[in-house]
Amino acid sequence: MVRKVWTIAVNTFHESLRKKILYVLIVFTIIFIGASKFFSFLSREEELKMIKDIGFSSIEFFGALIAIFSSAGSISGEIEKGTIYTLLSKPITRANFVIGKFIGQILIILFNLIIMTVFFITLLLLKNNPFDLELFKTILLIFFELVVISSIAIAIGNFAPNSFNITFSFLLYIAGHLTSYGKQLIERVRNPLFKGFGTIFYTILPNYENFNIKDKVVVGIPVSWIYVGKTITYGFIYICISLLLAIYFFNRKEI
Amino acid sequence: MMEKNWIYIFIAILSYICLGFLQVSIDYQREIENLKSPIVLMPGEKAGSFILSGFKGIAVDILWLEIEKSWHSGQHYKILPSLKAISYLQPNYTTVWEIGAWHMAYNIFAKEAERGRRLERMFERMKEKMDFKENLGIILEIEKGIKKIKEKIEREGLPERENCEIIRKLKVYKSIIENLKKDTKNYSFLRIIDGIVESMLAQIFWYKSGIDFLKKGIVYNPDKYNLYFELGWLYFDKGKDYKNAVKYLEKAIKFPHPEYVDDVLAHVYEKNGQIDKAIKQWEKLLDTNFREIAKKALRSLRKNGKFTP
């Protein structure tokens, strides 16, 4: 079973590598991260902060775009092209297929993240700022955020058209960063019904702000491994939920 | 197949419940690790759109670049809203509190002081040329009063409290000038003296604003030396309020700090009349880069009880 899943994952990875949009987004990220070098007129501390701010934000934002564009069409693309019929005629379950597609997306996210991070680290090293553990934690959480985004896009892709999936996933990405503000608003609501609905909504929506420690790390606030561990667990559970839903909807599909 | 399929939904719902509990735990962790982001109402339009998608850092950088631009073009007052906005967006970015307070208590303060000096020169020139028939005595009394206040500030430092004697006097002068403006022919002359009073009140205001800004910054960053140091320095340098300077510099040295903080504290102890503590502080500096100056200070303090000019 593992071999079958891995074969699908590797195929998905190779297939995604052929998409031009991937390279366009990587180039954009590198341009953005590189652009932060133009702020050399600032003091060293301010310049480093800007490089880190722009670097992390670019990695996260363009990484999210890559995850959305790449994952949204991964299953629907197979259906449109008709290759799904050949695949499913082989001795693989539908769950294996979904998981394989998802692992393929993880590989592509990891591939992009490594390219972007290497460029980012190089820029920091040029400014005599070593890549420390706090920066690693930030990148690690960004990676898990991107994987969550990807898993949600895969789940939605099983019951919605591609254009809707891309738009919805992107809006969810923005909303997911606002949920913590939403929580603060819910705390101020007195009506128990609204409060209840608000809390349920807060739990259901992915809280991408959990993964956002970049604003604190750049100003020197340390983040504990306990927090990182909890957030990774959160991401892992969310990924499981998304995949379960993806498998559920894919099983219901009449192919 | 369909019956089995419901298991996925069932497990997903169960996982959601776990997720709810985990989120509560994460929220708590964010609270205790100071990772929580407060709701912010932005004064700037540009920044707002970035906050929506969680890019506060970029918003701060844009505002910072605007500050740089305004700074170099001498638009000191234009910087203030951006500084305050940054302090809302990234309250743990201590540089903004430091630079903000310094900007208020030094840059804008100096600008106001320069305006005051310019007006004083104009006042002197006009006094010689003009033939006063009306209210000359009162105006000259006010001028004398202002000079005395300036001397007092030079001797004792700037006041921090709103209801102190200096501010009360300046406000009385201002109301007298306002009344004189109504029935005098020497309107332009009165405007100058009014400007001098205003500039003095503004200097006190910006000194106080710098202090308040740093105190606010300390609320968000209670475990970093730099804001305590800046506040202690401000009290020492501008306010000549050595008691408060000692209070905040002693707090600063409780956290990891550079050697110059200890150096300043030694001077402040002396100014505050705590010679024994000043000696102990200098002794601590004997093993640092401040060795030579510490030796001189110790010799002078032990011999004359005085070192800091």
Side-chain angles (χ1 to χ4, degrees), chain A residues 49-112:
Chain A
K49 184 187 173 289
M50 282 206 182
I51 292 174
K52 287 180 191 170
D53 275 332
I54 295 173
F56 283 137
S57 302
S58 307
I59 291 172
E60 189 200 315
F61 182 72
F62 289 108
L65 287 185
I66 289 169
I68 292 168
F69 279 111
S70 172
S71 309
S74 64
I75 291 179
S76 58
E78 298 275 4
I79 298 169
E80 277 167 27
K81 282 187 277 177
T83 43
I84 188 99
Y85 303 105
T86 329
L87 272 165
L88 291 182
S89 64
K90 286 175 180 165
I92 48 165
T93 63
R94 288 186 175 213
N96 285 352
F97 176 73
V98 173
I99 294 166
K101 280 279 163 193
F102 170 67
I103 293 171
Q105 292 310 320
I106 294 181
L107 292 176
I108 203 79
I109 289 168
L110 199 64
F111 172 75
N112 292 317

Side-chain angles (χ1 to χ4, degrees), chain B residues 61-296:
Chain B
D61 294 342
I62 290 172
L63 290 165
W64 200 258
L65 290 174
E66 275 188 8
I67 288 175
E68 280 282 325
K69 197 178 149 199
S70 307
W71 187 293
H72 293 300
S73 55
Q75 294 169 295
H76 293 294
Y77 291 98
K78 212 179 162 187
I79 294 169
L80 293 168
S82 299
L83 279 170
K84 282 184 183 161
I86 295 175
S87 73
Y88 276 117
L89 285 168
Q90 269 187 336
N92 302 111
Y93 184 33
T94 49
T95 312
V96 77
W97 299 106
E98 283 175 58
I99 290 189
W102 187 75
H103 183 66
M104 291 172 200
Y106 284 88
N107 277 354
I108 301 181
F109 179 94
K111 207 171 179 176
E112 284 298 336
E114 178 51 37
R115 182 168 76 105
R117 280 194 293 273
R118 206 175 52 242
L119 288 167
E120 276 167 15
R121 286 196 295 271
M122 277 171 78
F123 187 85
E124 287 301 323
R125 280 200 300 272
M126 283 181 92
K127 210 162 68 174
E128 289 162 12
K129 286 178 193 169
M130 286 183 82
D131 178 25
F132 299 107
K133 285 173 185 165
E134 283 181 82
N135 306 315
L136 181 63
I138 302 171
I139 295 167
L140 291 179
E141 275 305 309
I142 291 174
E143 193 213 356
K144 263 189 211 169
I146 292 169
K147 274 183 181 162
K148 273 186 189 169
I149 287 172
K150 278 186 89 174
E151 282 164 14
K152 193 175 178 186
I153 287 175
E154 224 145 88
R155 219 173 35 247
E156 296 169 16
L158 287 154
E160 191 193 346
R161 280 180 299 113
E162 191 60 40
N163 60 348
C164 68
E165 194 199 338
I166 290 175
I167 296 179
R168 268 204 311 273
K169 265 189 184 170
L170 286 169
K171 281 183 177 170
V172 169
Y173 292 157
K174 198 150 170 48
S175 66
I176 293 171
I177 295 164
E178 282 304 316
N179 281 330
L180 288 177
K181 269 185 193 171
K182 287 172 194 163
D183 52 15
T184 185
K185 288 165 192 166
N186 298 317
Y187 186 77
S188 57
F189 191 65
L190 280 166
R191 268 188 66 187
I192 292 171
I193 193 93
D194 192 24
I196 295 169
V197 174
E198 259 179 19
S199 97
M200 293 211 63
L201 280 168
Q203 285 170 56
I204 296 167
F205 172 80
W206 288 113
Y207 163 70
K208 207 177 150 323
S209 300
I211 286 177
D212 291 343
F213 199 64
L214 280 170
K215 282 184 178 169
K216 207 173 162 190
I218 287 172
V219 172
Y220 290 103
N221 306 280
D223 46 8
K224 283 184 182 161
Y225 87 91
N226 39 351
L227 298 185
Y228 292 113
F229 171 72
E230 291 296 332
L231 189 53
W233 174 262
L234 198 53
Y235 273 124
F236 168 63
D237 184 47
K238 285 260 171 205
K240 292 188 171 58
D241 182 348
Y242 304 122
K243 201 178 151 193
N244 270 320
V246 166
K247 181 182 159 187
Y248 287 103
L249 289 169
E250 278 182 344
K251 282 186 182 174
I253 59 162
K254 283 182 187 161
F255 305 100
H257 60 277
E259 288 165 357
Y260 62 79
V261 180
D262 287 302
D263 169 70
V264 173
L265 181 58
H267 286 288
V268 177
Y269 272 142
E270 186 196 327
K271 283 283 185 186
N272 199 36
Q274 297 166 282
I275 306 296
D276 291 346
K277 281 195 171 182
I279 290 173
K280 273 186 193 166
Q281 193 63 24
W282 282 118
E283 281 170 350
K284 270 195 221 167
L285 286 158
L286 285 171
D287 301 326
T288 65
N289 290 327
F290 286 81
R291 193 180 307 108
E292 291 309 313
I293 193 165
K295 278 182 193 168
K296 269 188 205 168

